[in-house]
Amino acid sequence: MTTVAFLGTGTMGAPMARNLLAHGFAVRAWNRTRARADELAADGATVTDTPAEAADGADLLVTMLLDADATVAAGGAAAAALPAGTPWVQMATIGLEGLAKVAAVAGGTTLVDAPVLGTRAPAEQGTLTVLAAAPEEVRDRVRPVFDAVGGRTLWLGTDAARGDGTRVKLAANNWVLSLTNAVGESIALAEALGVDPHLFLEAIEGGAVDSPYAHLKGSAILDGDFTPAFTVDGARKDAGLIAEAAGELRLDVAEAVRARFTRAAAAGHGSQDMAAAYYASFRG
């Protein structure tokens, strides 16, 4: 039985760890707030008090933590307790600078850059898309992990430290965050123009500009259901990573998107689903 040290059992990490357990992996779980990891004990996970304890006896290390600082701190502590060559599979969205910091503390582990596309529901269903960069010699060792948590793995290179998985993830997230805000703005505009905003979704349905995602987020806004699949705060963090990676490139839409998430968070919607960026459309 392959043993996985799994660090970070939040909204995304917990269902990913459950899918690993369901596929026959032994999981040693750690989370900064232990209560979040304790929920996995009923599924068969061994819950640990420290990242190093989670790494004890593990064949693989997986990190799914909030940001680069948390990943460096917890992942670095776990990596120091692992034998040389053990794969460290970094699956969170931490940006290019964050990945460079992780590479600097990876020690003798073999780093795998593997952020995922998808939110809570795909994580629960095991249908995430894994954007992976890893040396050829380690791919067979990590592929079963990807098959357990995802419906598709896109192999993007052999140099994990270059971060081609992270680079594609940032481009994809730029699209997702922009579309989320465009849906919210369009609904707010329909309301301001005095028409039923449901008609906006009806108008695009089935056409070339239609998108299942537009209906998903649009329905959430219209129903007032902001149960978080991915929070405004998380989206704001990712928007910052996109701006950081863009450097001198002008991304006017991305800058506006980041500002909208910042306004929505300031208005008290940070812990709600990112569809709550809709509220950034209103003054005051």
Side-chain angles (χ1 to χ4, degrees):
M1 182 182 292
T2 300
T3 299
V4 176
F6 199 103
L7 311 184
T9 59
T11 300
M12 294 288 290
M16 292 169 67
R18 285 192 178 95
N19 281 322
L20 288 173
L21 289 162
H23 281 76
F25 289 86
V27 173
R28 298 177 61 81
W30 174 87
N31 195 69
R32 182 179 60 85
T33 303
R34 180 178 170 125
R36 299 294 298 273
D38 283 338
E39 297 171 3
L40 292 169
D43 298 285
T46 299
V47 180
T48 67
D49 290 320
T50 67
E53 185 183 346
D56 184 26
D59 302 299
L60 296 160
L61 169 64
V62 174
T63 49
M64 192 63 186
L65 293 152
L66 176 64
D67 55 26
D69 289 343
T71 303
V72 168
L82 290 169
T86 303
W88 177 352
V89 187
Q90 201 308 108
M91 304 191 79
T93 304
I94 60 173
L96 291 173
E97 291 187 13
L99 185 64
K101 293 176 182 177
V102 166
V105 300
T109 64
T110 301
L111 183 62
V112 178
D113 177 38
V116 295
L117 284 177
T119 53
R120 183 179 59 188
E124 292 171 345
Q125 297 157 6
T127 57
L128 296 165
T129 295
V130 182
L131 304 172
E136 294 284 354
E137 61 270 19
V138 80
R139 292 187 180 189
D140 285 344
R141 294 180 66 182
V142 300
R143 187 176 284 109
V145 170
F146 298 162
D147 290 344
V149 303
R152 182 169 71 118
T153 298
L154 187 59
W155 293 102
L156 297 166
T158 59
D159 183 0
R162 173 180 155 77
D164 283 345
T166 290
R167 292 169 192 269
V168 173
K169 177 64 189 293
L170 291 173
N173 268 19
N174 186 55
W175 166 247
V176 171
L177 301 186
S178 298
L179 183 56
T180 299
N181 278 277
V183 172
E185 282 194 347
S186 296
I187 288 175
L189 179 60
E191 292 171 333
L193 294 173
V195 297
D196 183 349
H198 292 84
L199 296 176
F200 152 63
L201 293 177
E202 288 185 31
I204 66 172
E205 188 171 7
V209 298
D210 196 8
S211 163
Y213 193 79
H215 293 277
L216 177 69
K217 293 304 182 186
S219 295
I221 293 168
L222 293 171
D223 293 342
D225 182 3
F226 297 104
T227 303
F230 188 67
T231 65
V232 166
D233 282 339
R236 180 165 58 95
K237 181 264 293 183
D238 284 3
L241 296 177
I242 291 166
E244 177 185 276
E248 297 301 314
L249 185 66
R250 287 196 59 173
L251 299 179
D252 296 330
V253 174
E255 290 174 11
V257 163
R258 185 181 185 187
R260 285 177 61 83
F261 283 126
T262 299
R263 291 202 305 274
H269 302 286
S271 62
Q272 294 180 328
D273 186 78
M274 64 177 173
Y278 157 80
Y279 292 110
S281 301
F282 307 101
R283 300 184 186 279

